[in-house]
Amino acid sequence: MKRTVLAGWLCSLLAALGACDFVAQHELQPGRSTADDVRKLMGRPDMIWEESDGRQVLEYPRGPEGSETWMVEIDAGGRYQGMSDALTPANLARVQPGMSRDDLRRLLGKPGAEERFPARDETVWTWRVKGSVEATEMFHAHLGPDGRVVRTSRTPDPRLVNASS
């Protein structure tokens, strides 16, 4: 119990740096830790995805500055089962034209930014993701007027471009 309280206190100090996720990954024990333990360490999830079998997936986006979105799995009995980063290259590759806005959100989590482009009649959702060699870049999903993915694109991370100027 003291260890969980200490880890929660440490997370509150390190949350701005994203270090809380590191602590949570090492403190939480699959099958033993509870959904309450997850919330004590990681805070309130941005979204709770309810599965038909009673399981839940708690969404913890770390954008717009962070490059991770943690999906934390809770079984039907309220026990922690594990966590994974939704913004992996494999998941990004699953984004395809025709995918709905809801399916996109379920796959990648909350975007770090959303921008509307009336002249093109599209909305662009953007996530900061890990690029090559530990650098970050921006992953964009372009949504048409029907809310479906039209295409994806990538651009350099403006933080890195501005820092090198």
Side-chain angles (χ1 to χ4, degrees), residues 114-130:
E114 178 176 337
E115 196 168 355
R116 178 94 177 99
F117 294 93
R120 294 187 72 131
D121 201 17
E122 70 179 17
T123 300
V124 178
W125 284 5
T126 301
W127 293 262
R128 178 171 276 112
V129 298
K130 292 179 182 121

Side-chain angles (χ1 to χ4, degrees), residues 129-137 160:
V129 298
K130 292 179 182 121
S132 58
V133 196
E134 295 300 314
T136 53
E137 60 187 22
L160 301 177

Side-chain angles (χ1 to χ4, degrees), residues 49-165:
W49 300 95
E50 303 281 348
E51 304 295 347
S52 59
D53 61 1
R55 291 179 303 121
Q56 295 181 329
V57 177
L58 311 180
E59 178 187 317
Y60 289 92
R62 298 307 190 212
E65 296 302 317
S67 60
E68 297 162 331
T69 293
W70 294 103
M71 298 295 192
V72 178
E73 296 180 38
I74 305 295
D75 70 15
R79 298 278 174 194
Y80 168 78
Q81 297 302 304
M83 61 191 287
S84 61
D85 181 9
L87 299 178
T88 62
N91 262 6
L92 298 175
R94 292 175 56 196
V95 178
Q96 297 296 317
M99 179 179 276
S100 74
R101 175 185 307 260
D102 291 341
D103 289 341
L104 180 62
R105 171 71 193 264
R106 177 65 178 90
L107 178 65
L108 301 182
K110 181 180 178 179
E114 178 176 337
E115 196 168 355
R116 178 94 177 99
F117 294 93
R120 294 187 72 131
D121 201 17
E122 70 179 17
T123 300
V124 178
W125 284 5
T126 301
W127 293 262
R128 178 171 276 112
V129 298
K130 292 179 182 121
S132 58
V133 196
E134 295 300 314
T136 53
E137 60 187 22
M138 309 312 283
F139 178 85
H140 311 282
H142 302 255
L143 304 168
D146 61 355
R148 295 197 172 273
V149 174
V150 176
R151 63 189 171 92
T152 63
S153 63
R154 291 177 185 252
T155 57
D157 184 337
R159 288 187 318 188
L160 301 177
V161 172
N162 293 335
S164 64
S165 299

